[in-house]
Amino acid sequence: MHSRAFAFLIIYLLGSASGIKLDGNGYTNILFAINPAVPEDTQLIERIKDMVIESSQYLFKASFKRFYFKEVKILVPSNWSKGQYSRGRTETYDKANIIITEPNPLHGNDPYTQQFDECGAPGEYIHLTPNFLLNDSLIEVYGPRGRVFVHEWAHLRWGVYDEYNEEKPFYLSGNIIEATRCPKTIVGSMIAVSKPHKSCPLDQNTGLPMADCAFYPAMHQNIQASIMYLPSLDFTGFCDKTSHSVEAPNEQNRICNYRSVQEVIDLSGDSKSSVPMETSTPPETKFTVLKRSRRVICLVLDVSGSMSGDRILRQRQAASLFLRRIIEEMSFVGIVTFTHTADILEYLKLIDGETTREALVNSLPSHASGGTNICAGLEKGFEVLRKDNGDTTGDEIIFLTDGESEITCLDRVAQSGAIVQTIALGPSPNAILQHMSEISVTGGKYFVASERLDTNELLDVFASLTTSDGDLTRQTIQLESTGREQMEMACSMGLFLLIKQLEITQPIWLFTKQIHPTS
């Protein structure tokens, strides 16, 4: 029960790395996000850019001119004020592919990628620290930042794994002691760490070097691979079928069934959909630096006749949960209802405490009657969103309807620049509702929720409509949701005690060990 909850918590908080696209040979929609705990430092932004430019050139060479970084977004915290930043739209910390945040106690300044032990599956996110990017002395420890980033990118994008193993640094190949590495042609020396001038003693039981021994590869290697072994060395590629060592006790062999890194990359959709470029150098990377402003939301709620009875009750319950527990402090929220026409129940209000939250809850509709005009509701929602700055770009509409209406305003929705999160309640919503919320139109999500009273689907949808800036102390966490039939069982298993425990031990790193992040 507890391990399952821990794993769910991590996924819920950080989401999955998504949204990256391959446009021809160039990766786009890559999002870096800086945690609000990181002090404002414009040099950090420049170091991110320098790293990406260097890594783009290195990736281009390592992939035989097949891939490079075309477009990158950098999201700075909302509390940064010294620079000139574009306004973020759909970009949030919890959607980031690469997060810049304080060291994880399990890893220190080590760059790592969150993966879940599945070969070829994209990782969740890359974790970098400000110190890794700003402290040049760490280049001697980890290697050039651009190479390190390509190492982590291979984890993130292609689901490959490390070819070293700190727990099993040596193995026997026949009667020969080998260091865990790829390829075996990497040259180096086995040295006693505590006594560098003495040879490594051997364990009589295993025939392998003792724990105090380490393999130190020569810094300059006249070979092509491998980036997934040590990016600090002069490597320019990945181990392929020819150079791969199937005997090495590393994660790549264990998880990928002894296939080489290059074989896994070749099987990816990226490799299958691209061909090498003819140019000798990759095109320049385009950078956009963004800052997310306060969240501005309008609830647009269907109160037509088909929403009467249980539907209007479920709508009010779920919206009340959202207003009381989910929407973040210092956000703006308005409420619109619609039938064949639309009405503004609440203009934008700043969420600044329980009083404001309860006032909005008390404004929620409890009766339904009349026809349905979805576009009237959306237009009135845009009117409310414009009240803060005259624009709707990047603002949100949470749109709940049973969908039994024509929709003729799709172009208007797209032109608004707003994010429309659509919740279809009931068995027969208009199919175009899903298209309205797809990424290509508004960047929103589409949900279908049951109207049955013995399910919590609608509550769960509203509970999921949260964003994070990386400050876990201000974020609502839903560990588990149960319907009426499961409630007594969940309580008897101590779910309440688990929630109380998590309120005390909030930092995420207390639970990441359950997942084993991979560097």
Side-chain angles (χ1 to χ4, degrees):
M1 171 78 173
H2 286 201
S3 295
R4 176 183 171 218
F6 290 160
F8 181 82
L9 170 64
I10 296 166
I11 296 170
Y12 181 82
L13 287 176
L14 294 175
S16 62
S18 60
I20 298 172
K21 298 177 181 179
L22 182 63
D23 181 6
N25 297 87
Y27 289 106
T28 66
N29 211 36
I30 303 166
L31 180 61
F32 284 74
I34 302 172
N35 191 284
V38 176
E40 184 165 5
D41 188 345
T42 55
Q43 187 183 11
L44 186 59
I45 296 172
E46 295 308 311
R47 288 300 180 89
I48 293 172
K49 292 179 179 180
D50 291 343
M51 179 184 70
V52 172
I53 291 169
E54 179 186 348
S55 63
S56 186
Q57 296 169 349
Y58 188 53
L59 176 63
F60 189 72
K61 186 175 182 180
S63 64
F64 306 102
K65 303 182 179 182
R66 193 181 288 270
F67 307 120
Y68 70 98
F69 297 122
K70 184 175 182 179
E71 294 179 3
V72 169
K73 301 174 184 177
I74 303 171
L75 183 67
V76 304
S78 58
N79 57 6
W80 283 28
S81 59
K82 296 177 183 177
Q84 296 294 321
Y85 308 117
S86 301
R87 183 184 178 190
R89 183 186 167 197
T90 62
E91 300 83 7
T92 56
Y93 186 90
D94 50 359
K95 293 180 182 178
N97 314 113
I98 304 96
I99 59 173
I100 316 297
T101 187
E102 295 304 313
N104 181 322
L106 293 175
H107 298 275
N109 285 303
D110 292 354
Y112 68 87
T113 301
Q114 185 79 39
Q115 291 178 272
F116 294 101
D117 288 1
E118 184 178 350
C119 186
E124 294 294 301
Y125 60 91
I126 295 171
H127 181 289
L128 303 177
T129 68
N131 203 30
F132 168 78
L133 289 162
L134 296 172
N135 188 345
D136 288 343
S137 67
L138 292 181
I139 294 175
E140 296 182 8
V141 178
Y142 299 109
R145 296 187 186 97
R147 295 184 184 184
V148 173
F149 187 70
V150 170
H151 174 99
E152 300 303 334
W153 179 263
H155 284 306
L156 180 76
R157 184 64 182 179
W158 300 312
V160 297
Y161 288 81
D162 291 324
E163 293 169 324
Y164 62 84
N165 189 334
E166 294 177 349
E167 296 180 0
K168 296 181 180 179
F170 300 99
Y171 67 98
L172 288 173
S173 178
N175 294 321
I176 300 174
I177 299 172
E178 295 284 359
T180 302
R181 66 201 192 281
C182 191
K184 288 169 64 173
T185 52
I186 292 174
V187 296
S189 304
M190 290 185 293
I191 299 174
V193 177
S194 60
K195 299 177 180 178
H197 300 294
K198 292 190 176 182
S199 59
C200 285
L202 300 182
D203 186 312
Q204 293 182 351
N205 294 322
T206 65
L208 296 173
M210 302 285 280
D212 186 48
C213 293
F215 178 74
Y216 289 86
M219 288 303 297
H220 301 289
Q221 306 278 342
N222 189 27
I223 53 178
Q224 286 293 107
S226 170
I227 294 169
M228 300 313 294
Y229 172 55
L230 282 182
S232 59
L233 301 181
D234 291 336
F235 296 141
T236 56
F238 299 99
C239 265
D240 58 19
K241 189 174 184 179
T242 302
S243 57
H244 179 64
S245 174
V246 296
E247 295 178 307
N250 56 38
E251 292 287 86
Q252 176 62 24
N253 277 329
R254 182 180 69 83
I255 298 174
C256 291
N257 196 27
Y258 303 96
R259 285 178 294 171
S260 70
V261 169
Q262 189 62 57
E263 286 177 279
V264 176
I265 295 173
D266 288 343
L267 290 171
S268 69
D270 292 350
S271 292
K272 292 177 180 179
S273 63
S274 62
V275 295
M277 299 179 71
E278 296 181 359
T279 180
S280 59
T281 58
E284 292 184 1
T285 306
K286 176 185 176 182
F287 294 96
T288 307
V289 184
L290 307 164
K291 184 168 78 170
R292 182 81 172 169
S293 57
R294 289 176 176 174
R295 199 174 179 191
V296 181
I297 297 176
C298 184
L299 300 181
V300 179
L301 307 175
D302 190 343
V303 292
S304 61
S306 57
M307 287 289 294
S308 61
D310 290 343
R311 289 183 182 180
I312 196 72
L313 172 63
R314 300 309 300 273
Q315 176 177 264
R316 185 177 176 89
Q317 289 174 336
S320 296
L321 170 70
F322 179 79
L323 293 170
R324 286 186 173 126
R325 299 286 176 254
I326 305 303
I327 183 63
E328 302 83 3
E329 283 285 302
M330 307 311 291
S331 300
F332 286 98
V333 178
I335 302 175
V336 163
T337 59
F338 68 95
T339 56
H340 62 283
T341 60
D343 296 298
I344 298 173
L345 301 189
E346 292 285 354
Y347 285 95
L348 293 175
K349 283 190 174 181
L350 179 67
I351 302 295
D352 56 1
E354 294 301 318
T355 301
T356 306
R357 293 176 184 270
E358 285 304 315
L360 288 167
V361 169
N362 291 335
S363 296
L364 291 171
S366 55
H367 301 284
S369 63
T372 308
N373 186 334
I374 284 175
C375 288
L378 290 168
E379 290 288 355
K380 193 63 73 171
F382 296 145
E383 180 182 333
V384 170
L385 294 178
R386 283 193 293 268
K387 293 298 180 180
D388 65 330
N389 62 0
D391 188 17
T392 58
T393 302
D395 296 341
E396 290 179 65
I397 282 182
I398 296 178
F399 183 73
L400 190 149
T401 181
D402 57 16
E404 299 172 9
S405 165
E406 282 190 79
I407 304 174
T408 58
C409 53
L410 208 58
D411 289 343
R412 175 72 186 93
V413 172
Q415 292 167 6
S416 73
I419 305 163
V420 179
Q421 317 278 19
T422 302
I423 305 167
L425 183 64
S428 55
N430 191 319
I432 205 170
L433 283 173
Q434 181 171 357
H435 181 58
M436 187 172 68
S437 283
E438 286 176 349
I439 298 298
S440 59
V441 178
T442 67
K445 296 179 181 178
Y446 175 73
F447 306 90
V448 176
S450 171
E451 57 190 313
R452 291 180 11 241
L453 290 175
D454 63 346
T455 178
N456 279 354
E457 286 182 7
L458 188 57
L459 291 170
D460 291 344
V461 168
F462 270 88
S464 73
L465 295 174
T466 182
T467 62
S468 171
D469 64 357
D471 185 352
L472 297 180
T473 64
R474 298 191 303 166
Q475 186 171 352
T476 300
I477 300 170
Q478 179 186 3
L479 285 176
E480 187 165 339
S481 174
T482 55
R484 181 177 58 190
E485 297 174 354
Q486 293 83 25
M487 185 59 70
E488 289 184 4
M489 182 183 299
C491 290
S492 67
M493 295 180 72
L495 183 59
F496 174 77
L497 293 178
L498 177 59
I499 294 171
K500 294 297 290 182
Q501 177 187 4
L502 290 175
E503 287 175 351
I504 298 170
T505 57
Q506 180 69 37
I508 189 69
W509 54 78
L510 293 181
F511 312 116
T512 54
K513 198 168 184 179
Q514 302 289 331
I515 303 297
H516 303 295
T518 303
S519 63

